């Protein structure tokens, strides 16, 4: 039986660094990427929850991909702290080998912030700084550190993905921290795409998902319908495999 080219496509022999990988959308990305990379690829899974990460690591090790040589590394780290960032970069460098041909960084880690309060209640600078440190600063500094650790060279593809939101584009009452963080973060990656034409940069908005973090979205969106992580992730993987998006673009699941 002749299979179409779709079935043969893959993400190459890749080093995939996925933040917020222990649950929700990050976990689903890790599972999907494990099936789309070539044997000998490495997943570096990052999250604050060690138990959840190790459970995912064990699951992937026993999967078909694990049996044919996928390496899964866990980094238990708080990306809001400098030593957390350094641990991710160090483990990524240790995991890299010359036969890898694709670096993929997925900036997925994020927090919701307090979505019950209006702008005028945020008088505490430390509270706002702490939110922005985890949701904006860490994402910029991790991306910069990974790009420095793995500079452009012949035969190496580099892809940076930012998991974004409609909230990056549109204001919602009482969501000031989340909207601000997503907007700032998306602009980082749009600027990056302008500066680094050899890089593939994608801002992917997965839609309102049925995860613990995003349950608050359900009554907020006109669609009123939560998507499963699996549905949304399948579309993200297709975008990555097709690889014909404009670098830096904001691609929403509802556009696909």
């Amino acid at each position: 039986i002749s299979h179409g080219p779709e079935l043969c496509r893959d993400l190459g022999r890749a080093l995939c660094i996925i933040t917020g990988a222990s649950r929700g959308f990050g976990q689903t990305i890790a599972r999907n990427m494990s099936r789309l990379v070539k044997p000998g690829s490495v997943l570096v899974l990052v999250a604050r929850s060690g138990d959840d990460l190790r459970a995912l690591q064990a699951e992937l090790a026993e999967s078909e991909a694990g049996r044919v040589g996928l390496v899964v590394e866990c980094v238990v780290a708080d990306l809001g702290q400098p030593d957390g960032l350094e641990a991710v970069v160090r483990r990524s460098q240790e995991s890299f080998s010359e036969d890898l041909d694709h670096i993929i960084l997925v900036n997925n880690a994020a927090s919701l912030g307090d979505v019950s309060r209006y702008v005028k209640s945020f008088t505490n600078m430390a509270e706002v700084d702490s939110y922005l440190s985890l949701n904006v600063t860490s994402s910029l500094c991790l991306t910069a550190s990974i790009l420095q650790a793995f500079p452009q060279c012949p035969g190496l593809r580099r892809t940076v993905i930012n998991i974004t939101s409609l909230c990056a584009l549109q204001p919602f009452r009482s969501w000031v921290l989340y909207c601000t963080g997503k907007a700032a973060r998306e602009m980082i990656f749009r600027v990056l795409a302008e500066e680094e034409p050899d890089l593939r940069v994608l801002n992917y908005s997965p839609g309102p998902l049925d995860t613990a973090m995003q349950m608050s979205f359900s009554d907020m969106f006109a669609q009123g319908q939560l998507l499963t992580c699996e549905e949304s992730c399948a579309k993200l993987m297709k975008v990555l495999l097709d690889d014909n998006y404009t670098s830096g673009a904001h691609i929403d699941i509802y556009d696909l």
Side-chain angles (χ1 to χ4, degrees):
I1 304 165
S2 101
H3 291 296
E6 288 75 41
L7 299 175
C8 309
R9 295 187 309 175
D10 59 57
L11 295 172
R13 191 168 281 111
L15 170 64
C16 308
I17 304 149
I18 304 167
T19 69
S22 62
R23 56 175 76 106
F25 197 56
Q27 186 185 66
T28 307
I29 290 173
R31 287 189 181 120
N32 277 264
M33 282 195 167
S34 75
R35 297 193 283 266
L36 290 175
V37 292
K38 284 184 172 159
S41 294
V42 182
L43 295 191
V44 177
L45 307 178
V46 185
R48 285 180 285 193
S49 164
D51 292 346
D52 293 343
L53 269 189
R54 284 184 282 272
L56 179 58
Q57 181 184 35
E59 175 197 318
L60 293 176
E62 288 168 15
S63 70
E64 194 180 333
R67 289 197 297 270
V68 297
L70 177 75
V71 177
V72 183
E73 299 279 356
C74 292
V75 184
V76 181
D78 178 353
L79 293 175
Q81 303 298 323
D83 56 353
L85 275 186
E86 286 157 17
V88 176
V89 176
R90 192 166 55 244
R91 185 68 63 85
S92 302
Q93 286 177 301
E94 288 164 359
S95 305
F96 185 74
S97 59
E98 292 303 313
D99 57 348
L100 295 175
D101 56 29
H102 196 179
I103 304 279
I104 304 172
L105 171 60
V106 184
N107 286 280
N108 169 68
S111 63
L112 207 48
D114 188 335
V115 292
S116 68
R117 291 159 53 197
Y118 279 26
V119 169
K120 67 183 179 191
S121 77
F122 288 97
T123 52
N124 181 333
M125 288 177 74
E127 180 188 9
V128 177
D129 286 346
S130 166
Y131 182 83
L132 293 176
S133 176
L134 174 65
N135 290 277
V136 180
T137 310
S138 75
S139 186
L140 170 56
C141 295
L142 176 62
T143 301
S145 299
I146 292 295
L147 292 177
Q148 286 189 23
F150 302 104
Q152 187 206 343
C153 66
L156 183 65
R157 283 193 293 159
R158 299 183 304 162
T159 303
V160 178
I161 301 154
N162 172 42
I163 303 305
T164 186
S165 168
L166 177 61
C167 295
L169 310 178
Q170 201 175 318
F172 292 94
R173 288 164 175 239
S174 83
W175 286 63
V176 63
L177 291 183
Y178 192 77
C179 289
T180 300
K182 286 296 186 193
R185 195 153 130 169
E186 181 151 327
M187 186 53 80
I188 289 167
F189 294 97
R190 287 175 58 189
V191 170
L192 179 63
E194 295 288 326
E195 292 176 348
E196 302 278 341
D198 299 304
L199 202 58
R200 300 292 282 140
V201 182
L202 174 64
N203 286 298
Y204 179 70
S205 178
L209 302 172
D210 62 348
T211 63
M213 177 174 148
Q214 302 221 18
M215 278 305 181
S216 327
F217 280 125
S218 52
D219 48 336
M220 188 172 118
F221 284 88
Q223 281 89 358
Q225 184 186 348
L226 291 175
L227 301 158
T228 66
C229 289
E230 203 48 66
E231 287 172 297
S232 185
C233 194
K235 297 224 171 169
L236 169 59
M237 295 302 134
K238 185 173 185 327
V239 170
L240 293 176
L241 290 169
D242 290 346
D243 196 29
N244 56 14
Y245 59 90
T246 302
S247 190
H250 175 106
I251 296 184
D252 190 285
I253 184 169
Y254 293 116
D255 302 335
L256 297 170

